[in-house]
Amino acid sequence: MKTTKGQFRIQTAEGWKSIEGRYEVRYPFFIHRAEDEKTWKVSHLATGYNISKVKSLKQGRKLAKALTPFPIFLMPCLETWDRAKSRMAIKEPEEFQKLMNIVNGDY
């Protein structure tokens, strides 16, 4: 699958921001980089928040594939995602640790 050149939206401290660059949707994530950047980022599609930076598109695809099985990423907004993350950390600590290891580069 090839990336798409065009505009995509990400969430920043100032709110939603439109960026021009390359992106690829890997539901529930998208892998993207702005025209002036060298590294790729994996972000959550629904909330627009960045999950991790990766060096290559291939690594971004691998990370998105590793994170897809976690139902926490199907949450529609940041508030519900935060609540689900807190519940997961308390009720499923092993699964939560597995998720965090993947986010931190162990995938």
Side-chain angles (χ1 to χ4, degrees), residues 33-83:
R33 74 175 182 193
E35 287 182 345
D36 60 342
E37 293 179 333
K38 298 285 185 202
T39 59
W40 292 84
K41 296 176 184 171
V42 177
S43 295
H44 185 236
L45 194 57
T47 62
Y49 280 99
N50 181 40
I51 295 170
S52 184
K53 280 186 181 181
V54 292
K55 291 182 181 181
S56 69
L57 179 58
K58 184 177 179 180
Q59 287 177 322
R61 290 172 175 159
K62 189 175 176 183
L63 176 58
K65 185 176 181 180
L67 292 174
T68 297
F70 292 94
I72 190 170
F73 291 107
L74 298 177
M75 298 296 155
C77 66
L78 186 60
E79 184 180 327
T80 55
W81 189 89
D82 279 337
R83 282 187 285 182

Side-chain angles (χ1 to χ4, degrees), residues 11-26:
Q11 187 67 262
T12 67
E14 295 85 37
W16 286 97
K17 183 177 178 183
S18 289
I19 304 287
E20 192 73 33
R22 299 200 72 76
Y23 66 94
E24 178 178 299
V25 175
R26 294 283 174 128

